[in-house]
Amino acid sequence: MLKITWGQTLSGTVEISGSKNASLPIIAASLLLEKVTLHNVPRIGDIFSLLEIIQSLGVVVNFTGNTLTMDMSRISLENMNRELMKKIRASILLLAPLLYRFGSVDIPFPGGCNIGKRPINEHLNGLREIGYESKDGDESIHLSGKLQSGDKNLYAGFAVTATENLITANILRPGHTRIHLAAIEPHVVNLVDFLKKQGANIVMNYDHTIDIVGVERILTIGEFSIVHDYIESGTFVVLGALASEGYIDIHHACISWLTSFLAKCQEVGVRFEDRGEDTLRVYRSEHLKAVKFQTNIFPGFPTDLQSVFCILLSQAEGVSRVQEIMFEGRLNFLVELEKMKGHPALMNPHEALIFGPTHLRGSTVSSWDLRAGVAMIIAGLVATGDTYITNVEYIERGYEDIIGKIGKLGVVIEKTE
Ligand code: EPU
């Protein structure tokens, strides 16, 4: 449990970590190589879980600081940790590399956050189309077959991990692959850059298509640096606006990937300044105004910043309208805001109103998922009275040393039993 004592303010500079959602597919795709060194990998729960899974596959892992080395020379399916695979959504990313290596895989349906249905039809349709047959059990996904050559048109439905699996599955497939309706989030681009550096032939186009011409082989030893995390950066924007003493500076802020988010922040009345070299200064902001917003695929407003933005809106004058188009469970965390005397109204699983401004009161609240958990930290800093947050393991899955980082900005968050 976390305890946030009220009345504290932030100041100083925060360094944004490497991106969770870029590291996960790049670690998974690394299974195609023999040895890989990755820099700027965040030390967070989801990465530790994925590494434990790949260690159970015989991969030798060394994770020192933010540098990760992996040696795949003894990879095998013999002792795969199925229990852990059930727990993290990212285990689905192992499908493509394991199929390429072994021609057949049987993995449990992946778990993940409490944010709603997480279908995998786009992954399976694409993999079937290139030659793998699937037998769906109730509990597991079984795919096997021979990778077909020739030209293929695949469809990813703008789904992020499906796009990533289909890219990885096709870089060594003889023939031309066109992935239609591809996700183009910065983490997808980072995966493409990683694979291109290893010799893959991939072109991302402006119309959400990705062209891949299969190469005979890629490099067996790779080195790469993970991009910074624009979702973590957006989280600190809201923290700075609501809880800084005067302002905070965000280094590696990924400003160019936050355009939709920052435009909405500006509409609400958040004051910020681009200080150059990807540093964003965010000022404490008052007289905030209600807005309407809708989550969307990149470069739209990211669903992963919806919950922290809702906390911002709880402090804005008027009635805000939130449309969460991706995940039907992701607005449920608003019941926690209600416990803190906020005034949200859930209209349906995809839509909520937020009445503001409200004087939030400290309470005991729960993290519904990693993003909603961090939203509760922000709410706790805005509230009068102490706030206790349970289920903090969700937050630790996705934010590197969040307590330490906020601590460096002058705010003490205690971790209690
Ligand atoms: N969808 C389908 N069919 C599929 C796959 C997805 O209909 O086969 C639908 C989903 O129901 C959902 C939408 O497409 O409505 C988005 O799902 P997507 O597959 O894109 O989500 P994901 O790949 O499972 C990644 C991130 C999420 C992030 C979403 C959306 C990773 C490891 N996870 O999930 O990150 O919310 O994209 O941008 O990259 C987080 O970091 O907190 C997180 C949940």
Side-chain angles (χ1 to χ4, degrees):
M1 184 149 74
L2 298 182
K3 178 184 176 194
I4 299 170
T5 309
W6 68 290
Q8 304 185 76
T9 50
L10 311 151
S11 64
T13 300
V14 63
E15 301 286 332
I16 297 304
S17 294
S19 158
K20 165 176 89 72
N21 289 344
S23 303
L24 293 166
I26 290 173
I27 291 171
S30 296
L31 300 193
L32 292 175
L33 282 66
E34 294 302 314
K35 279 193 183 151
V36 174
T37 301
L38 300 175
H39 304 284
N40 204 29
V41 179
R43 299 185 72 81
I44 53 174
D46 270 12
I47 298 290
F48 292 129
S49 299
L50 185 63
L51 292 181
E52 206 177 321
I53 293 169
I54 65 169
Q55 278 175 301
S56 76
L57 296 169
V59 174
V60 179
V61 166
N62 183 333
F63 192 14
T64 307
N66 293 108
T67 297
L68 171 66
T69 59
M70 291 177 282
D71 181 338
M72 271 65 67
S73 46
R74 298 220 185 119
I75 190 165
S76 110
L77 292 177
E78 225 167 281
N79 299 312
M80 185 166 75
N81 186 338
R82 299 179 67 86
E83 282 315 301
L84 195 50
M85 287 183 102
K86 284 183 200 162
K87 292 195 185 133
I88 65 160
R89 170 77 178 168
S91 55
I92 193 74
L93 291 165
L94 297 172
L95 262 187
L98 292 182
L99 269 172
Y100 185 80
R101 280 226 180 220
F102 300 104
S104 169
V105 286
D106 188 328
I107 65 166
F109 273 105
C113 280
N114 187 16
I115 59 179
K117 282 189 235 121
R118 308 287 293 269
I120 53 164
N121 55 308
E122 307 289 2
H123 303 244
L124 298 182
N125 291 343
L127 292 170
R128 282 190 202 108
E129 191 61 32
I130 58 173
Y132 300 111
E133 279 180 34
S134 71
K135 268 194 272 161
D136 293 359
D138 286 344
E139 306 253 309
S140 68
I141 309 159
H142 179 83
L143 281 158
S144 61
K146 194 165 172 340
L147 194 55
Q148 290 171 4
S149 54
D151 296 350
K152 299 282 181 189
N153 283 293
L154 310 179
Y155 298 86
F158 303 112
V160 171
T161 49
T163 303
E164 292 163 347
N165 249 332
L166 295 181
I167 293 169
T168 307
N170 284 285
I171 54 170
L172 286 156
R173 194 184 68 76
H176 170 237
T177 307
R178 174 161 286 184
I179 303 174
H180 299 265
L181 312 181
I184 54 161
E185 269 67 3
H187 26 286
V188 179
V189 178
N190 205 213
L191 169 69
V192 167
D193 288 344
F194 167 70
L195 293 171
K196 280 167 77 168
K197 200 169 171 208
Q198 311 322 315
N201 183 344
I202 311 170
V203 177
M204 293 186 82
N205 306 305
Y206 292 112
D207 58 355
H208 285 273
T209 58
I210 296 178
D211 286 308
I212 302 172
V213 178
V215 291
E216 258 175 52
R217 66 180 73 86
I218 51 172
L219 298 180
T220 53
I221 299 181
E223 181 150 1
F224 194 69
S225 212
I226 303 291
V227 288
H228 293 278
D229 193 331
Y230 70 117
I231 303 298
E232 187 195 7
S233 173
T235 305
F236 276 97
V237 170
V238 177
L239 261 167
L242 292 183
S244 67
E245 204 177 310
Y247 62 83
I248 60 168
D249 283 334
I250 304 173
H251 281 181
H252 306 299
C254 312
I255 297 171
S256 62
W257 296 334
L258 284 169
T259 310
S260 298
F261 171 78
L262 290 175
K264 277 292 160 196
C265 284
Q266 203 159 34
E267 202 181 321
V268 174
V270 173
R271 292 180 303 120
F272 54 83
E273 186 188 343
D274 183 340
R275 305 276 296 172
E277 299 192 356
D278 209 20
T279 294
L280 193 69
R281 177 165 290 179
V282 183
Y283 295 93
R284 186 181 183 92
S285 306
E286 271 143 17
H287 311 298
L288 304 176
K289 293 187 302 289
V291 294
K292 287 183 193 163
F293 82 101
Q294 178 185 307
T295 61
N296 219 323
I297 56 173
F298 188 82
F301 191 106
T303 170
D304 294 341
L305 282 170
Q306 175 261 102
S307 30
V308 296
F309 201 73
C310 284
I311 306 301
L312 182 73
L313 295 179
S314 76
Q315 302 307 301
E317 172 85 40
V319 185
S320 294
R321 182 179 291 268
V322 184
Q323 282 176 303
E324 166 55 66
I325 65 161
M326 302 267 169
F327 299 114
E328 66 277 13
R330 223 174 200 180
L331 287 167
N332 289 341
F333 86 98
L334 288 171
V335 298
E336 305 299 322
L337 185 62
E338 214 161 15
K339 286 185 196 156
M340 298 179 77
K341 309 289 180 219
H343 291 305
L346 195 57
M347 312 301 285
N348 61 60
H350 290 284
E351 197 170 6
L353 302 178
I354 296 179
F355 298 85
T358 43
H359 182 172
L360 299 183
R361 307 292 159 93
S363 179
T364 299
V365 290
S366 177
S367 307
W368 280 67
D369 69 75
L370 67 151
R371 308 302 176 191
V374 95
M376 288 300 113
I377 294 183
I378 303 176
L381 284 170
V382 173
T384 317
D386 297 345
T387 299
Y388 296 86
I389 305 174
T390 61
N391 287 341
V392 287
E393 60 282 1
Y394 275 125
I395 305 175
E396 288 162 352
R397 284 175 66 157
Y399 291 87
E400 184 173 56
D401 189 24
I402 185 83
I403 298 175
K405 285 188 184 185
I406 293 180
K408 278 197 196 130
L409 293 172
V411 165
V412 179
I413 299 180
E414 290 168 62
K415 205 166 174 187
T416 60
E417 285 308 309

